[in-house]
Amino acid sequence: MTQEFSYRWGHSALTADFDLDCRTPRLVRLTVPGEPRPENATESAGAALPLVDVTLLGQGTGWSGPRFTGTALGQRLTHRAHHAAYGDGWHHLTVQLQDRRGGLTVFVEYSSPDAVPVLRARVRLRNDGDTPVTVRSVSSLLLGALPSPDVLDVHRARNDWLAECRWYAEELRESVPDVGRAFHGHDGRAGVRLAGHGSWPTDGHLAMGALTDRTDGRCWLWQIESAASWLWEAGEVDHHTYLSLSGPTADDHQWRQVLDPGVEFTSEYAALALGDGFDGALSALTAYRRRIRRPHPDHDRLPVVFNDYMNTLMGDPTTEKLLPLIDAAAEAGAEYFCVDAGWYDDEHDDGDGDAGGDGDAGGGWWDSVGAWLPATRRFPGPGGLQAVLGRIRERGMVPGLWLEPEVVGVRSPLAAELPNEAFLRHEGGVRVTEQGRHQLDLTHPAARTHLDRTVDRIVGEWGVGYLKLDYNITTSAPGLLDHTRAWLSWLSAVLDRHPGLVVENCGSGGLRMDGASLAVAQLQSTSDQQDPLRYPPIAASAPTAVPPEQGAVWAYPQPEFTDEEIAFTLGSALLGRVHLSGHLDRMTSRQLGLVQDALVTYKAVRDDLCQSVPFWPLGLPGWQDARVALGMRVPFLDTTYVLVWRRAGDDAEVTLPIAHLAGREVRVDVLHGAVGPAAWDGAALRVTLPRAPAVLLTRLTA
């Protein structure tokens, strides 16, 4: 017999059932249309978890062990009120809870975009008592009624410098053993627990995860939207799987928040997408990401950006080197030209750095940055750097500059001019210093004023229309959460003042590839990988973390490459954002023609990319896979793009099943890459890549 719960909320694509009348209010079930409901709803209710778990200093967790769920305070929260609203295409629900023993008021805030099966959540805490309280942890989203660990796989994505977005999966029971609840009366303490640490929030793993049901294909895919630290955890309660998503915690990140009487704190956002399989849930999450981000014309135009760094000038730009590159980039078809690292200092960094340099302190410009003024030796003669920027405009492109705004080198005059309070500091007031650089604290007015003057000079006075904002140190210092929130607030204010400015978010490649940053910046660096043969699994998996129209993929053809190698490195970027580089100025006319042809192809497909959703005909790639494939489906058109790479192996033929086109008549057009047969067999695309390395981009029209 089906049990009805006290409150139902949602819309055409998502339904949430709550039990608000019980002693501990809870979210009982989260479903999408067509999902079968259990005959006995109490079975799905299973894990009687509260809507939120909070730990305070001086109060126990209610559970011996590292698990985040089952806190003493969470079980004490009672329902006081709830309010639902709708506006601007979003459904909102706020549930107000009260601590039965103390003065803490908790507001659990849910939201969901209309017709999109994604639940977004955060928690607001208010101290309505008479004495201060110290918060040690608070969940942003807590859900306890998922299927048993017996039937679930858990998915995670390793994310390392030069090797981003490497998804892997295992059965949840491998980490959450069945300890025999019937014998003990308790669940085990084990769980899958994953944390991101410091100001590179995606260093180690993406701030994401997923659970898939092996019996019916359902998928729950999530992201934690924090530019600082985060934590997620999945385990077992009463034969069901629970999921907890949060920002930083005291035990994992040495974070805490003191709330004086009347003071509030709001957690980081977390989002959970539901879908049929990983691809289906990712489609929903992609639609959601487009809804939460700051509107900007760049998301529709997708201009081609040439950047002089990767495998080209490598942080050593000069007028002499740039002018021929500018001319060649314009001839190739680039629309933006970004002068990368080194333009601000007469010394050359000879370190073995990433995009923007990563040399050791004490050598070159690495530890002297901060003033962001043009180097006179690099740009001699009338006009200096301004003459170079003018040449970019003369050739019909928008000029851009690389900037690493949050750091000040220990040798920079700014290190002494700015007050100590303008920098992040350890306990005792000691400045955070990493690799010869201090970390600014954007909560301080002096730090913000310094960056406002810098950007307004570069954009407002110099006419720069593109900023690559890099970040090549990481720290876990106190105050990091407040700084990262202030950083995104500052960046939003910059875009308010300069609405035409395009901003690329880069954290030593893809180490700052988080949902909070992507909601503000227009582009996201996906990697600093310099080997074109190692880039395909990154380029193919990047759409799991960033919509295709925001994911910047390097394409760095060189004059010493064969025609096939030029096509290969260009092809890797054609279903994302083309970040062109390479010594185009040294190419033959025929070689430059290959670059031009690839960009013509890109410009013909990019209008579709900004409304497409990704899928993976061969599954998400492994790092060593010889063949890699990425598809883009345009939901409102009968158009599908498939990009396939052959990196190695003897088998030239590749079969690519495409479920959404199965049984339909399909026309196949080869747009870029290898010359070989490409045909539709009624259920799959069959292509031949004659040699390795090879790439092929096709358009399928039903």
Side-chain angles (χ1 to χ4, degrees), residues 6-361:
S6 63
Y7 185 69
R8 174 169 291 174
W9 171 81
H11 50 81
S12 62
L14 184 74
T15 300
D17 288 320
F18 295 86
D19 191 347
L20 301 179
D21 294 336
C22 63
R23 180 175 176 82
T24 301
R26 53 193 172 132
L27 173 57
V28 175
R29 188 170 54 232
L30 195 63
T31 58
V32 296
E35 182 176 327
R37 295 179 181 273
E39 293 184 4
N40 184 354
T42 57
E43 292 181 5
S44 70
L49 295 178
L51 294 181
V52 60
D53 263 326
V54 183
T55 59
L56 303 179
L57 188 67
Q59 299 191 27
T61 63
W63 175 267
S64 295
R67 282 176 27 167
F68 187 55
T69 56
T71 63
L73 178 58
Q75 299 293 332
R76 298 203 309 259
L77 296 174
T78 59
H79 173 246
R80 288 190 58 182
H82 62 276
H83 174 71
Y86 176 79
D88 297 326
W90 283 79
H91 299 261
H92 302 277
L93 173 66
T94 299
V95 181
Q96 183 179 348
L97 307 171
Q98 186 69 46
D99 181 7
R100 289 191 292 267
R101 299 183 192 172
L104 192 67
T105 303
V106 178
F107 302 88
V108 185
E109 299 176 351
Y110 300 104
S111 58
S112 183
D114 195 33
V116 179
V118 175
L119 179 67
R120 192 186 205 195
R122 67 177 184 180
V123 172
R124 181 161 48 95
L125 307 176
R126 187 177 69 206
N127 183 6
D128 289 330
D130 299 326
T131 59
V133 297
T134 300
V135 182
R136 301 184 72 250
S137 67
V138 53
S139 61
S140 296
L141 177 61
L142 182 60
L143 182 63
L146 298 175
S148 165
D150 291 331
V151 300
L152 294 182
D153 292 333
V154 59
H155 304 257
R156 289 161 281 187
R158 295 186 179 96
N159 199 71
D160 297 298
W161 186 48
L162 311 179
E164 289 84 352
C165 301
R166 293 175 292 125
W167 286 86
Y168 63 103
E170 69 171 354
E171 293 185 4
L172 185 58
R173 271 292 181 220
E174 293 295 320
S175 297
V176 184
D178 183 351
V179 297
R181 178 184 172 89
F183 293 94
H184 308 290
H186 296 282
D187 295 297
R189 292 184 171 90
V192 176
R193 187 180 179 91
L194 194 62
H197 298 271
S199 52
W200 279 343
T202 54
D203 180 18
H205 280 83
L206 292 179
M208 297 179 64
L211 294 168
T212 54
D213 190 325
R214 294 188 298 277
T215 65
D216 57 21
R218 286 182 297 165
C219 179
W220 298 262
L221 174 67
W222 59 86
Q223 68 176 23
I224 301 172
E225 296 163 16
S226 176
S229 302
W230 51 268
L231 172 72
W232 65 257
E233 182 180 283
E236 185 174 20
V237 174
D238 194 14
H239 306 295
H240 288 77
T241 298
Y242 72 83
L243 177 66
S244 175
L245 312 177
S246 79
T249 70
D251 291 341
D252 293 273
H253 308 102
Q254 291 73 57
W255 171 88
R256 63 183 181 180
Q257 182 74 39
V258 178
L259 297 184
D260 291 324
V263 173
E264 292 189 357
F265 169 77
T266 304
S267 73
E268 302 283 72
Y269 275 115
L272 178 68
L274 283 69
D276 182 9
F278 186 94
D279 290 5
L282 199 278
S283 294
L285 192 61
T286 300
Y288 161 84
R289 287 166 170 166
R290 288 169 172 154
R291 296 285 289 270
I292 66 168
R293 70 188 177 193
R294 179 189 180 93
H296 197 284
D298 180 80
H299 298 319
D300 298 316
R301 295 189 293 112
L302 280 61
V304 174
V305 178
F306 185 95
N307 182 297
D308 68 30
Y309 185 87
M310 189 60 71
N311 293 352
T312 310
L313 300 188
M314 300 296 290
D316 192 22
T318 66
T319 299
E320 181 181 9
K321 295 176 181 178
L322 284 168
L323 293 183
L325 267 179
I326 291 167
D327 292 342
E331 188 175 348
E335 294 153 302
Y336 281 61
F337 189 103
C338 182
V339 180
D340 207 276
W343 60 267
Y344 37 78
D345 199 295
D346 282 325
E347 301 177 69
H348 173 50
D349 182 76
D350 292 319
D352 56 351
D354 57 10
D358 196 11
D360 294 331

Side-chain angles (χ1 to χ4, degrees), residues 470-530:
D470 209 342
Y471 185 58
N472 288 307
I473 67 169
T474 184
T475 178
S476 298
L480 177 62
L481 180 62
D482 291 337
H483 161 74
T484 57
R485 291 178 172 183
W487 155 255
L488 294 174
S489 171
W490 170 80
L491 186 54
S492 296
V494 166
L495 291 165
D496 288 341
R497 296 198 306 276
H498 306 286
L501 177 67
V502 175
V503 170
E504 175 192 349
N505 179 56
C506 179
S508 200
L511 303 187
R512 207 183 205 181
M513 196 155 42
D514 61 275
S517 298
L518 282 164
V520 179
Q522 286 69 63
L523 288 93
Q524 171 64 51
S525 172
T526 58
S527 187
D528 285 342
Q529 178 55 249
Q530 292 180 248

Side-chain angles (χ1 to χ4, degrees), residues 533-534 536 568 623-628 644-654 689-695:
L533 282 175
R534 286 184 168 86
F568 188 89
W623 186 245
Q624 302 291 343
D625 285 358
R627 295 176 295 184
V628 175
V644 56
W645 296 262
R646 178 186 172 193
R647 298 197 289 170
D650 297 327
D651 193 350
E653 294 186 1
V654 185
L689 304 177
R691 291 173 298 277
V695 68

